[in-house]
Amino acid sequence: MLVTTAFAIGTPSFLAAVLLQGLFAVRLHWFPTGGTGDGLGRMLWHLTLPAVALALYLIGMLARVTRAAMLDILGQEHVTVARSRGVSERQVIRRHVFRNALGTVLTTGGLIVSTLLVCTVLVESAFSVGGIGQLLELSTTTKDFPTVQAISLIMVGLFMTVNLVVDLLHPLVDPRVALGPRRQAA
């Protein structure tokens, strides 16, 4: 598990794109090398390798953070108390460990989505898939500054929206986190 996540985290998305194309598209002929295809089924088939190239790093990072957060909580006192009361290991993991680790995982998930926005540009270029990344690349090379600014504004808006959603979901996951100012007891 640790070796797999280290490999996934250490492989940049553009390198994963090239390696996946070389193996599954060129050598094995299982997937197309690029484009988008006609129809929904063909489009999904064409987007499989780019999606895997983007997700490889992100899944590795999320798995590593989830493991670290759960190991940290496994050593805490309330887990030991739950085990000593005779609670089954499955319930200890589900109720006490994963529930408390979910805040860290949620925050990391928000950061991962912002990373996904940046990596999309590189993967779209490698697979010749038309999208916002390819438009940004074309606009940059042709010095179309209004388009570059608009795409940057959209990406910043998406980043802020994701962070807002994570901040609003955090009190639902961890009741100790409160929205708004706390009142001091007199």
Side-chain angles (χ1 to χ4, degrees), residues 59-72:
I59 289 173
M61 180 63 74
L62 195 60
R64 178 71 60 98
V65 167
T66 304
R67 180 182 185 277
M70 289 185 71
L71 285 176
D72 182 44

Side-chain angles (χ1 to χ4, degrees), residues 109-146:
L111 293 172
I112 283 174
V113 170
S114 63
T115 304
L116 185 65
L117 293 172
V118 174
C119 293
T120 302
V121 177
L122 301 170
V123 173
E124 281 181 7
S125 297
F127 284 100
S128 301
V129 177
I132 196 166
Q134 196 174 45
L135 178 62
L136 180 62
E137 181 185 7
L138 178 67
S139 300
T140 304
T141 57
T142 59
K143 296 182 181 176
D144 183 7
F145 295 120

Side-chain angles (χ1 to χ4, degrees), residues 4-171:
T4 306
T5 57
F7 175 76
I9 291 171
T11 306
S13 58
F14 65 88
L15 180 61
V18 171
L19 293 174
L20 290 170
Q21 269 184 330
L23 178 63
F24 293 108
V26 175
R27 185 170 293 261
L28 298 174
H29 303 288
W30 289 356
F31 292 96
T33 56
T36 54
D38 299 328
L40 182 62
R42 302 275 302 157
M43 183 177 74
L44 292 176
W45 188 252
H46 280 257
L47 293 178
T48 302
L49 286 181
V52 170
L54 280 172
L56 187 66
Y57 166 79
L58 306 174
I59 289 173
M61 180 63 74
L62 195 60
R64 178 71 60 98
V65 167
T66 304
R67 180 182 185 277
M70 289 185 71
L71 285 176
D72 182 44
I73 292 171
L74 273 171
Q76 291 183 358
E77 188 175 326
H78 69 280
V79 175
T80 307
V81 170
R83 284 180 176 153
S84 68
R85 286 185 12 226
V87 178
S88 71
E89 191 66 23
R90 178 175 284 195
Q91 284 184 338
V92 166
I93 297 294
R94 191 178 70 231
R95 284 187 184 170
H96 300 282
V97 177
F98 186 70
R99 187 174 177 191
N100 288 324
L102 203 54
T104 306
V105 173
L106 181 67
T107 303
T108 304
L111 293 172
I112 283 174
V113 170
S114 63
T115 304
L116 185 65
L117 293 172
V118 174
C119 293
T120 302
V121 177
L122 301 170
V123 173
E124 281 181 7
S125 297
F127 284 100
S128 301
V129 177
I132 196 166
Q134 196 174 45
L135 178 62
L136 180 62
E137 181 185 7
L138 178 67
S139 300
T140 304
T141 57
T142 59
K143 296 182 181 176
D144 183 7
F145 295 120
T147 306
V148 172
Q149 289 174 336
I151 292 172
S152 299
L153 187 63
I154 289 170
M155 287 188 172
V156 167
L158 286 171
F159 178 78
M160 290 174 56
T161 303
V162 166
N163 282 330
L164 177 66
V165 168
V166 167
D167 285 345
L168 292 175
L169 288 176
H170 207 46

